[in-house]
Amino acid sequence: MLFSSVTFLYIFLPVVCALYICAKKELHNIILLAASLLFYAWGDVHYLALMLFVIVINYLGAIFIDKYYVRRKFILCFTIILNLSILVYFKYFNFIFENLNNLFNTNIKFLEIIMPIGISFYIFQAMSYLIDVYRGECKVQKDFYKLALYISLFPQLVAGPIVKYHDVAEQIEARDVNFNKVQYGVKRFIIGLSKKVIIANTLGCIADKIFVQAPDTFSSAIAWLGAIAYTFQLYFDFSGYSDMAIGLGYLFGFKFMENFNYPYISKSITEFWRRWHISLSTWFKQYVYIPLGGNRINLSRTCLNLGIVFFLTGLWHGASWNFVIWGLWNGFFIIFEKLTGWHHETENRFINIIKHCYTVLIFVLGWVIFRADNMSYAAEYLKNMFGLAKVHDVAFALPYYIDTYECIILFIAVICSLPLFKNILNLYEKSKILYSTVNVLLLCLFFYCTILIVVSTYNPFIYFRF
C-alpha cells in the first residue's frame, strides 16, 4: 500500500486515526501494531510470516543476551548472522550465483525469489535493537508486542527512515498526542506527498523516457536532461516519503529523526552524506564504522574503514554491480576529501562555488550509475554526456522528452531543493498572514495531489525496491 494512494489516504489512514483517538492509551500500541501488520500484509501477505520470524529471533536473541551474560557475544553474533542470512537469501542469493557462474563458467540455476518489500529497512532496525541491548544502551524489551511495533511500525516500515531502537524506546512506552503535533504532522505529510506526487512523479516520467533509450540514440543535451531529471526525482521521491513518514509519526506521538537536510546544497561529498539518507549514514557509522575503529587508529586504516562502509552502503541498495560501483564512487571521493582536506569549510565565496559545482557534478554522475540497469549502459551514458559517444539514429528531439509543464516542475524542483522557503518561514515565523497563506496552500496542494493520484497510473516509490 502506497502512502500516495487513494486507499491509504481516504480509507486506511482515517480509520486507523479514528480508532487511535477513540481508544484508551493502553490500547494505542496494540492498534498501531495491528494496523502495521495489515499495512504490510496488504503488499504481500506471504512475507508477513517472514517479518514476524525476524521479530521473534531478535526478541529471543535480546532476552538471551540479557540473561546469559557470559555467552552474550556469541548470542549476538549468532543472531546477527541469522538476520543477515535472511537478507542475503532474499536479496543477494541470485546475484551471488550469477557471479559464481560467470567466474567459474558454471551453470547453477537461479531460484525464483521475490524480495520482500522493506526487508533491508526492518532487518537493520532489528539489528539496531539487538546491538543496543548488547551495548547496554537500552533495556531489553520483554513485551513482545512492543518490540513487534518498533520493527513493523507502518510509517517507516517499507522505506525508512531507519529508526534506531534507543531513539524511540521511551516513546514506545509512553507518548502524548496534542494539537500542535497533529497539526505539524499533517503539514509535514502534505509536504512529502506534494514532493512525491507533483515533483518526483513528473520528473520520473522524463527520466524514464530517456533511460529506456539506448545511449547512442539521443544527444548529449538529452543525456544531461535525463541525469538531472533523475537527480531530482530520486531526491523528491525519497525525501517526500521520509517527510510523510515523519508526519505520520507525529500523528501518533512519535518523533523520528530527520532523513534529509537539503543535500544538494553541499560543498563536498562528505557534507552530502551528512545531509543525504541521514538515518542510513548514522546506522553505518554507529554499527560498522566506529566498531571497525573509525578514525581513531591511523589515516590508512580510516580510509580502509570508509571504503568498507561505502562498499556496504552500495551493496545495501541492491544486488547489482552498479550499486556497488556507486557506493565505491562515493567512498573514493570521501577518502579523497579526507586526504586533501577538501571537505573543510571556508568563508571564501569563490572557493565555495567551485566546491559546490564539483559536488553537484560528482553526485549527478553517481546517480547515472545508480539509475542504469548495468555498468555497460552507465558507461555509454556517461560517455554520451561528455560528447565521447558516437550518436546515430537520434529517435526524438528534446521537446519529446520535456514539455512546458515539466519545465516548470523542474524549475520548482531546483527552488525546493534549496532552504529558501524554510528560511522565509523562519524569518517571518510570527506572521499570522504568512502562516495562514501556507495553510491554505497546503490544503490546495493536497487536493491537487489527490487529483493527480486518481488520474495518473504512474506512481512508483523508488526506495521500495531496496
Side-chain angles (χ1 to χ4, degrees):
M1 190 187 306
L2 297 175
F3 288 172
S4 56
S5 66
V6 173
T7 304
F8 181 84
L9 292 173
Y10 290 98
I11 300 176
F12 180 85
L13 185 58
V15 170
V16 173
C17 287
L19 291 172
Y20 192 87
I21 292 170
C22 295
K24 296 179 180 179
K25 281 190 175 183
E26 294 78 16
L27 297 175
H28 282 178
N29 283 344
I30 298 296
I31 291 170
L32 281 183
L33 176 58
S36 298
L37 296 178
L38 175 62
F39 177 86
Y40 193 74
W42 192 281
D44 194 334
V45 69
H46 298 94
Y47 288 115
L48 179 59
L50 176 65
M51 186 177 68
L52 291 173
F53 177 69
V54 170
I55 294 169
V56 168
I57 63 174
N58 286 279
Y59 172 77
L60 294 176
I63 287 179
F64 291 152
I65 286 172
D66 183 63
K67 186 175 181 179
Y68 300 106
Y69 187 84
V70 176
R71 299 179 180 178
R72 59 205 299 267
K73 191 169 185 178
F74 170 78
I75 297 169
L76 173 70
C77 294
F78 178 75
T79 314
I80 287 178
I81 289 171
L82 278 179
N83 281 297
L84 293 178
S85 297
I86 294 169
L87 185 61
V88 167
Y89 175 76
F90 283 97
K91 193 169 183 177
Y92 303 103
F93 186 88
N94 285 339
F95 175 66
I96 292 170
F97 281 96
E98 178 186 359
N99 285 280
L100 288 176
N101 283 340
N102 293 333
L103 187 62
F104 297 107
N105 198 26
T106 55
N107 190 28
I108 302 172
K109 293 183 179 180
F110 296 164
L111 299 178
E112 293 185 8
I113 301 172
I114 299 175
M115 188 181 74
I117 293 174
I119 189 171
S120 299
F121 289 93
Y122 69 71
I123 283 186
F124 267 41
Q125 290 200 175
M127 291 196 296
S128 145
Y129 163 69
L130 199 72
I131 298 169
D132 285 350
V133 171
Y134 174 81
R135 291 176 174 177
E137 295 181 4
C138 65
K139 294 181 180 179
V140 65
Q141 180 56 262
K142 295 184 179 180
D143 290 329
F144 177 80
Y145 77 93
K146 289 181 179 178
L147 180 65
L149 175 64
Y150 159 68
I151 294 176
S152 68
L153 190 59
F154 77 86
Q156 41 73 56
L157 171 60
V158 293
I162 300 171
V163 178
K164 293 176 284 296
Y165 184 75
H166 61 255
D167 290 333
V168 295
E170 293 182 1
Q171 298 176 51
I172 290 174
E173 297 297 331
R175 59 192 179 276
D176 293 320
V177 179
N178 54 47
F179 177 77
N180 289 334
K181 286 183 178 180
V182 171
Q183 183 184 35
Y184 178 79
V186 170
K187 290 180 179 179
R188 190 69 182 268
F189 182 87
I190 294 174
I191 290 171
L193 184 68
S194 302
K195 283 182 175 182
K196 162 62 187 162
V197 175
I198 299 173
I199 300 178
N201 284 2
T202 302
L203 300 182
C205 289
I206 300 172
D208 287 356
K209 281 193 291 187
I210 296 173
F211 276 91
V212 77
Q213 308 285 341
D216 62 353
T217 61
F218 48 78
S219 65
S220 295
I222 294 172
W224 278 100
L225 173 63
I228 292 168
Y230 183 71
T231 293
F232 285 110
Q233 179 202 3
L234 187 64
Y235 170 62
F236 285 102
D237 186 280
F238 195 20
S239 69
Y241 189 97
S242 294
D243 285 337
M244 286 188 275
I246 291 169
L248 290 171
Y250 270 94
L251 293 182
F252 302 108
F254 287 95
K255 184 178 180 180
F256 302 144
M257 73 178 298
E258 294 294 334
N259 211 19
F260 291 88
N261 182 24
Y262 299 100
Y264 289 170
I265 67 171
S266 301
K267 293 182 284 294
S268 67
I269 297 300
T270 303
E271 181 186 357
F272 174 83
W273 275 98
R274 293 194 189 111
R275 295 173 175 271
W276 177 275
H277 204 344
I278 299 169
S279 64
L280 180 66
S281 301
T282 56
W283 197 98
F284 274 114
K285 180 181 179 180
Q286 292 179 10
Y287 301 119
V288 179
Y289 180 68
I290 292 176
L292 285 174
N295 58 2
R296 301 187 306 273
I297 303 175
N298 54 53
L299 186 59
S300 59
R301 181 60 183 272
T302 298
C303 293
L304 176 62
N305 293 341
L306 287 169
I308 292 171
V309 165
F310 278 93
F311 168 79
L312 294 175
T313 299
L315 194 62
W316 178 89
H317 281 81
S320 175
W321 281 112
N322 64 303
F323 292 121
V324 174
I325 299 300
W326 169 78
L328 294 175
W329 169 269
N330 283 274
F332 171 82
F333 286 101
I334 284 182
I335 292 171
F336 162 77
E337 292 171 6
K338 188 79 174 177
L339 294 173
T340 61
W342 181 275
H343 62 293
H344 293 153
E345 295 183 5
T346 176
E347 295 182 359
N348 188 306
R349 184 173 296 181
F350 178 72
I351 293 177
N352 283 334
I353 292 173
I354 293 175
K355 284 187 170 185
H356 178 64
C357 292
Y358 143 84
T359 305
V360 170
L361 178 64
I362 297 307
F363 67 66
V364 168
L365 298 182
W367 290 139
V368 172
I369 299 171
F370 190 89
R371 174 61 176 79
D373 292 332
N374 52 66
M375 282 307 301
S376 297
Y377 185 95
E380 291 302 314
Y381 194 103
L382 291 170
K383 285 167 63 178
N384 189 334
M385 290 175 70
F386 292 97
L388 301 176
K390 293 182 179 179
V391 178
H392 52 82
D393 298 329
V394 176
F396 303 102
L398 186 63
Y400 168 78
Y401 296 101
I402 185 168
D403 57 27
T404 303
Y405 173 75
E406 291 166 337
C407 282
I408 294 171
I409 295 298
L410 183 57
F411 176 76
I412 292 173
V414 174
I415 298 300
C416 290
S417 67
L418 308 173
L420 179 63
F421 294 119
K422 179 182 178 181
N423 293 339
I424 291 174
L425 290 173
N426 290 338
L427 187 62
Y428 299 100
E429 59 182 349
K430 295 182 180 180
S431 172
K432 293 182 179 180
I433 296 175
L434 178 61
Y435 272 83
S436 297
T437 304
V438 169
N439 290 338
V440 172
L441 177 61
L442 288 174
L443 188 62
C444 293
L445 286 174
F446 180 75
F447 286 117
Y448 183 53
C449 287
T450 300
I451 294 170
L452 292 178
I453 291 168
V454 171
V455 301
S456 177
T457 57
Y458 184 85
N459 192 25
F461 260 123
I462 296 175
Y463 265 73
F464 270 20
R465 63 190 176 118
F466 303 137

